[in-house]
Amino acid sequence: MNTILSDNYSVYFDNSLDELVDFIKKGNYSKFFILTDENTGEHCLPLLTSKLTGFNNYDLIEISSGEESKTIDFCVGVWKMLIDFGADRKSLMINLGGGVITDMGGFAASTYKRGIDFVQVPTTLLSQVDASVGGKTGIDVDGIKNIIGTFTMPKAVFIAHEFLQSLPPRQILSGLAEMLKHGLIVDSGYWNKLKNSDLKNPSVELVHRSVEIKNEITIEDPHEKGIRKALNFGHTIGHAVETYSLLHDKDSLSHGEAVAIGMICESYLAHKKTGLPSEELHEIVMVLTDLYPKYTIKEASFDELLLNMKKDKKNVGDEINCTLLTHIGEFSIDNVCTADELCESLRYYINL
Amino acid sequence: MNTILSDNYSVYFDNSLDELVDFIKKGNYSKFFILTDENTGEHCLPLLTSKLTGFNNYDLIEISSGEESKTIDFCVGVWKMLIDFGADRKSLMINLGGGVITDMGGFAASTYKRGIDFVQVPTTLLSQVDASVGGKTGIDVDGIKNIIGTFTMPKAVFIAHEFLQSLPPRQILSGLAEMLKHGLIVDSGYWNKLKNSDLKNPSVELVHRSVEIKNEITIEDPHEKGIRKALNFGHTIGHAVETYSLLHDKDSLSHGEAVAIGMICESYLAHKKTGLPSEELHEIVMVLTDLYPKYTIKEASFDELLLNMKKDKKNVGDEINCTLLTHIGEFSIDNVCTADELCESLRYYINL
């Protein structure tokens, strides 16, 4: 697989952990730190440390897994560890984990001593295709996802396909939603290829193409002033449903499960507002309902869902903005949707 | 006074509060927020709000004054207020206060929703000549000053000389130390002018020249890779003494008082290590001891002071780096100083 060139950094696919070791050697860092959670500490770290036998200038920082760790308290914990370990400005942070680790580790590094180098080693499908490029770092405050963060590019990204082998099927499905989204917004050929693939076990070629698509979009618009909003397709409603589920459900929805719901609702809105043909709407709905379990949404939750959408950091003023489709493979940004329209789209999902 | 052009933003001196009102109007912001502490809320805010009669889209956020407020807890408080007030990405933050307000408000704004616009309205002499340009934002963690922060430029800076009238003399002296430093590192003419001025009441011309000097340096080296380190003169030892005093003294040293001590010690080191002539050393010591009260440092505190210096975020590895002088008006960066040398310089101060 080609190395993908992003905004002044590379995304490695082949022998990526060896490339990482090479990167550390060449970087002449005073120290480096590997951030993990207990899952990646168990399943991914041994493979990495087995390659680090020549190094004695690194320390491990482990946090608990799960979105609950993506808070300022955990971030302060990471900062304090860096202080205690004597991290200086020539230190490197290696974020080994899923989106929580890469987002939070990126934020901690980008603000420690006003910014030290960091690299991403995403270990879930979701973080490989979504969090690995684009330079967004972030933490949650008051349960609002990524409300605090920076735009800071990593120095490199290392995608190791072998880490996906140990993932449970539900986590594969979570990342898959973003891959399907990449096809839906800009590449109908990729969408068709995905449709006809073994999606329980996406190939490295498919992962590579998703990273390529996301990279092209974020390079063109790093600060989300225009075309990057394409990536928000499915996310206005998806994020609201995800936040709702995190708060109310014992076994809450994964990001991808929520985004799949969001993509169905927003495809419906696209059909109504931006001319997505009905056969394409049905095709999208068929693929997504086939892959993802049905989630129960009640009319009584609509107010809370709308409130979540209003709090979305992408909005300006009181308007709710959606990225919609005009066709499979073509998007349309900045579509203001009324509360009535949004509720109608939720009802469409409920009645499927 | 000329408006100073910095890195994509302007620093206004004449009718600066009117310029601020004009800036807000032109910026087409959805909302704006004024961050104050109880001092600037009482002494500076009324003058500003009297000019805002036409606006109804702003809210006030007040925090307690003092370095104790520059913590992550207060910062989280500011973030939560922004969330509660519905601040979106088109919001503006106006930081009206001293260095704590401008540093922390800048950090809060630069990370809220991955960055909203902010402007600085520094109200102390120290913040006018030091914190207003250069784009450093920051908060303290575990008592370590500015250990967390970003490099983010404000959209504009408004320097209102009238705010200095209400300042106590000790606060004027605190800012003055940075002005004297600006002369010592790059402009002997300015140093001579300062020496012969009424320093209890520095003119707007003198303030303007200090901002100009700091601006020239920070524009050339925004991320402190080289020449910006000139600004650290007096600060390696100064910061260590300041941190010590904050922890141990009831009535702790001001920043400028600590930096004055640091400049004396580091001028001594400059005399020993980088050839600062003895008559220039004596001139510096005379001016500084004349202005600033003598502070009692004991041998028993040396270990703690050295530890503080080692923790300084400017250091790489275990070395302690100082910016020294070769002459008044000429600096030399990256001088590694041993513990013995640093202790000797502290003894020089003690025996003055």
Side-chain angles (χ1 to χ4, degrees):
Chain A
M1 292 285 96
N2 288 339
T3 295
I4 294 178
L5 292 179
S6 189
D7 182 4
N8 277 319
Y9 65 93
S10 297
V11 185
Y12 297 92
F13 287 81
D14 290 344
N15 307 313
S16 54
L17 294 183
D18 296 315
E19 294 282 358
L20 170 56
V21 173
D22 209 44
F23 176 93
I24 299 171
K25 273 185 194 149
K26 284 186 182 149
N28 204 13
Y29 291 100
S30 60
K31 291 180 183 179
F32 62 99
F33 301 90
I34 306 175
L35 182 68
T36 61
D37 60 31
E38 71 273 15
N39 293 330
T40 57
E42 188 186 334
H43 298 294
C44 307
L45 184 62
L47 186 58
L48 178 55
T49 50
S50 73
K51 293 174 186 284
L52 295 175
T53 44
F55 296 93
N56 55 13
N57 58 335
Y58 70 94
D59 286 292
L60 306 176
I61 302 178
E62 185 177 300
I63 61 172
S64 324
S65 64
E67 188 76 24
E68 303 73 35
S69 300
K70 215 173 138 182
T71 61
I72 189 67
D73 290 341
F74 278 84
C75 185
V76 170
V78 173
W79 285 332
K80 289 189 177 181
M81 296 278 274
L82 290 171
I83 294 172
D84 289 345
F85 283 136
D88 60 35
R89 283 182 173 169
K90 289 265 182 213
S91 299
L92 171 72
M93 182 98 145
I94 298 172
N95 301 314
L96 179 71
V100 169
I101 292 285
T102 56
D103 284 4
M104 208 252 261
F107 180 68
S110 72
T111 52
Y112 180 74
K113 298 196 177 189
R114 298 204 182 89
I116 60 172
D117 284 2
F118 65 94
V119 295
Q120 308 291 38
V121 189
T123 57
T124 62
L125 182 59
L126 179 60
S127 60
Q128 290 191 351
V129 299
D130 190 41
S132 63
V133 292
K136 283 188 178 180
T137 77
I139 56 169
D140 308 338
V141 169
D142 273 356
I144 307 177
K145 283 178 63 108
N146 295 320
I147 186 78
I148 301 303
T150 61
F151 283 106
T152 314
M153 299 301 151
K155 292 295 163 191
V157 176
F158 304 90
I159 293 188
H161 200 246
E162 54 261 49
F163 289 146
L164 302 185
Q165 313 311 321
S166 62
L167 285 183
R170 226 184 131 187
Q171 283 217 33
I172 294 285
L173 272 175
S174 185
L176 191 62
E178 296 291 340
M179 298 170 71
L180 292 163
K181 182 194 76 180
H182 291 145
L184 287 174
I185 55 175
V186 293
D187 186 347
S188 57
Y190 181 54
W191 163 261
N192 287 330
K193 203 179 282 175
L194 283 169
K195 265 193 331 190
N196 301 315
S197 300
D198 169 21
L199 293 180
K200 311 276 173 217
N201 206 352
S203 67
V204 65
E205 287 77 17
L206 289 173
V207 173
H208 187 271
R209 177 65 190 136
S210 251
V211 174
E212 212 169 45
I213 290 174
K214 174 147 193 199
N215 188 48
E216 281 162 15
I217 292 174
T218 54
I219 278 188
E220 200 173 324
D221 175 24
H223 291 128
E224 204 166 319
K225 307 282 185 197
I227 158 179
R228 184 167 184 161
K229 292 181 186 169
L231 297 168
N232 293 332
F233 173 62
H235 280 64
T236 304
I237 295 176
H239 263 160
V241 172
E242 186 180 7
T243 304
Y244 179 92
S245 174
L246 267 175
L247 212 66
H248 296 283
D249 300 336
K250 231 190 207 159
D251 181 25
S252 53
L253 289 173
S254 74
H255 179 68
E257 286 163 351
V259 167
I261 297 168
M263 289 197 288
I264 292 174
C265 295
E266 294 179 25
S267 293
Y268 174 79
L269 288 169
H271 173 59
K272 290 284 169 185
K273 291 172 69 82
T274 54
L276 179 73
S278 62
E279 61 277 15
E280 297 189 13
L281 168 63
H282 294 141
E283 181 184 325
I284 296 169
V285 170
M286 219 180 58
V287 170
L288 292 175
T289 51
D290 197 41
L291 282 167
Y292 295 91
K294 184 73 184 284
Y295 178 67
T296 308
I297 301 177
K298 299 222 166 75
E299 285 268 345
S301 330
F302 281 15
D303 281 351
E304 188 175 338
L305 289 169
L306 286 170
L307 201 68
N308 290 348
M309 293 179 214
K310 273 191 191 138
K311 278 192 189 162
D312 195 298
K313 66 185 168 311
K314 295 185 288 292
N315 291 320
V316 171
D318 271 341
E319 288 180 344
I320 297 176
N321 254 294
C322 289
T323 296
L324 303 178
L325 305 176
T326 52
H327 276 288
I328 287 176
E330 284 171 24
F331 64 89
S332 155
I333 63 170
D334 289 334
N335 296 285
V336 176
C337 296
T338 65
D340 280 350
E341 289 169 333
L342 292 158
C343 291
E344 198 185 317
S345 79
L346 288 166
R347 278 185 209 106
Y348 173 79
Y349 176 78
I350 291 171
N351 295 324
L352 279 179
Chain B
M1 293 286 97
N2 288 340
T3 295
I4 294 178
L5 293 179
S6 187
D7 182 4
N8 277 319
Y9 65 92
S10 298
V11 184
Y12 297 93
F13 287 81
D14 291 343
N15 307 313
S16 55
L17 295 183
D18 295 316
E19 294 282 359
L20 169 57
V21 173
D22 210 43
F23 176 92
I24 299 171
K25 274 185 194 149
K26 283 185 183 150
N28 203 14
Y29 290 102
S30 60
K31 292 180 182 178
F32 62 98
F33 301 90
I34 307 175
L35 183 68
T36 62
D37 60 28
E38 71 272 17
N39 293 330
T40 56
E42 188 186 335
H43 296 295
C44 307
L45 184 62
L47 185 58
L48 177 56
T49 49
S50 73
K51 293 174 186 286
L52 295 175
T53 45
F55 296 93
N56 54 14
N57 59 334
Y58 70 94
D59 286 292
L60 306 177
I61 302 178
E62 186 177 299
I63 61 172
S64 323
S65 64
E67 189 76 23
E68 303 73 34
S69 299
K70 215 172 138 181
T71 60
I72 189 67
D73 290 341
F74 278 85
C75 186
V76 170
V78 173
W79 284 332
K80 288 190 178 181
M81 296 278 274
L82 289 172
I83 294 172
D84 289 346
F85 283 137
D88 60 36
R89 283 182 173 169
K90 290 263 180 213
S91 300
L92 171 71
M93 183 97 147
I94 299 171
N95 300 315
L96 178 71
V100 169
I101 292 284
T102 56
D103 284 3
M104 208 253 262
F107 180 69
S110 72
T111 52
Y112 181 74
K113 298 194 177 189
R114 298 204 182 89
I116 59 172
D117 284 2
F118 66 94
V119 295
Q120 307 291 39
V121 190
T123 58
T124 61
L125 182 60
L126 178 61
S127 60
Q128 290 190 352
V129 299
D130 191 41
S132 63
V133 293
K136 283 187 177 179
T137 76
I139 55 170
D140 307 339
V141 168
D142 272 357
I144 307 177
K145 284 178 63 111
N146 295 319
I147 186 79
I148 302 302
T150 61
F151 284 106
T152 314
M153 299 301 152
K155 291 295 163 189
V157 176
F158 303 91
I159 292 186
H161 200 247
E162 54 262 50
F163 289 146
L164 301 186
Q165 313 310 320
S166 62
L167 285 183
R170 222 183 135 189
Q171 283 217 36
I172 294 287
L173 272 175
S174 184
L176 191 61
E178 296 292 339
M179 297 170 72
L180 292 163
K181 181 194 75 180
H182 291 146
L184 287 173
I185 54 176
V186 293
D187 187 347
S188 57
Y190 180 54
W191 162 262
N192 288 328
K193 203 179 282 175
L194 283 168
K195 266 193 331 192
N196 301 315
S197 300
D198 168 21
L199 292 181
K200 311 273 174 221
N201 206 352
S203 66
V204 65
E205 287 77 16
L206 289 172
V207 173
H208 186 272
R209 177 65 190 138
S210 251
V211 174
E212 212 169 47
I213 290 174
K214 173 147 193 198
N215 187 47
E216 280 161 16
I217 292 173
T218 54
I219 278 187
E220 201 173 322
D221 176 24
H223 291 126
E224 204 165 319
K225 306 283 183 196
I227 159 179
R228 184 169 184 160
K229 292 181 186 170
L231 297 169
N232 294 333
F233 173 62
H235 280 64
T236 302
I237 295 177
H239 263 161
V241 172
E242 185 180 8
T243 303
Y244 179 91
S245 173
L246 267 174
L247 211 65
H248 295 282
D249 301 335
K250 231 188 207 162
D251 181 25
S252 53
L253 289 172
S254 74
H255 179 68
E257 285 163 352
V259 167
I261 297 168
M263 289 196 289
I264 291 174
C265 295
E266 294 178 27
S267 294
Y268 174 79
L269 289 169
H271 173 57
K272 290 281 168 186
K273 290 173 69 81
T274 55
L276 180 72
S278 62
E279 61 276 17
E280 296 189 14
L281 167 63
H282 295 141
E283 180 182 325
I284 296 169
V285 170
M286 218 181 58
V287 171
L288 292 175
T289 51
D290 197 43
L291 282 167
Y292 295 91
K294 185 73 184 284
Y295 178 67
T296 308
I297 300 177
K298 299 220 166 77
E299 285 266 348
S301 329
F302 282 15
D303 281 350
E304 188 176 338
L305 289 169
L306 285 170
L307 201 68
N308 290 347
M309 292 179 215
K310 274 193 190 136
K311 277 191 189 164
D312 195 298
K313 67 185 166 311
K314 295 185 288 292
N315 292 320
V316 170
D318 271 342
E319 288 182 344
I320 297 177
N321 254 295
C322 289
T323 297
L324 302 178
L325 305 176
T326 52
H327 276 288
I328 288 176
E330 284 171 26
F331 63 89
S332 156
I333 63 170
D334 288 335
N335 295 285
V336 176
C337 296
T338 65
D340 280 350
E341 289 169 333
L342 292 159
C343 291
E344 198 185 318
S345 78
L346 288 166
R347 277 185 209 106
Y348 173 77
Y349 175 78
I350 292 170
N351 295 325
L352 280 179

